[in-house]
Amino acid sequence: MHDIPGYGIGRQVGQKGPYRTFIGKRKSDGIQVIVKLPAPGLEASANPIEEFEIARDLNHRHIIRHMDLIRLEDTWGLVHEWFDGSPLGARIPDTGFDLESFLGMAIQIAKGVSEIHNRDIVHQGISPETVF
């Protein structure tokens, strides 16, 4: 367990780029959250302050909400709202999606991307592993 001010950190659930992702709980109210921490040795390539500043005011049902920016000893971490799901890449069947399922997901993804683009934000890492 990592010692993060205000949060209890549990098991690691992923790693993408310079970040490791953990399930956690906010100590003040017990709300389950996702915590992104720079991977050891990759702190310099992570930019959580900029990511938080860009995304903290986004409030859309198809975008994961950024809740907090936490100061660690020599770096920063991000706290996101909890979501129960798996990345799109893990859900793609070997035969692909049927048309109806594909179109339903494509519309939801397009709504989220449209919201960030309408705010002049470009998501630099959209992929089946970052879509939930």
Side-chain angles (χ1 to χ4, degrees), residues 20-108:
R20 295 176 302 157
T21 307
F22 299 85
I23 293 175
K25 281 197 178 185
R26 190 165 53 191
K27 291 178 181 175
S28 64
D29 56 14
I31 289 180
Q32 196 163 11
V33 295
I34 297 293
V35 179
K36 279 175 54 174
L37 302 174
L42 297 176
E43 292 88 353
S45 60
N47 198 347
I49 297 172
E50 182 179 10
E51 181 178 336
F52 183 76
E53 292 295 321
I54 290 170
R56 71 176 168 189
D57 294 327
L58 293 172
N59 186 13
H60 189 275
R61 66 178 287 224
H62 295 102
I63 299 172
I64 296 170
R65 190 169 56 94
H66 287 58
M67 298 171 60
D68 199 1
L69 178 66
I70 45 179
R71 180 74 172 127
L72 307 172
E73 278 185 25
D74 55 353
T75 188
W76 295 83
L78 287 167
V79 179
H80 295 172
E81 71 179 321
W82 165 256
F83 54 92
D84 190 16
S86 57
L88 176 62
R91 297 192 327 249
I92 300 173
D94 291 338
T95 57
F97 290 109
D98 63 80
L99 184 59
E100 185 176 342
S101 297
F102 171 77
L103 290 175
M105 285 183 278
I107 289 168
Q108 291 178 53

Side-chain angles (χ1 to χ4, degrees), residues 5-22:
Y7 296 90
I9 307 300
R11 68 182 172 89
Q12 183 173 336
V13 293
Q15 182 162 348
K16 175 112 172 106
Y19 292 105
R20 295 176 302 157
T21 307
F22 299 85

Side-chain angles (χ1 to χ4, degrees), residues 103-118:
L103 290 175
M105 285 183 278
I107 289 168
Q108 291 178 53
I109 294 166
K111 286 179 179 179
V113 171
S114 175
E115 175 67 17
I116 64 172
H117 286 185
N118 286 341

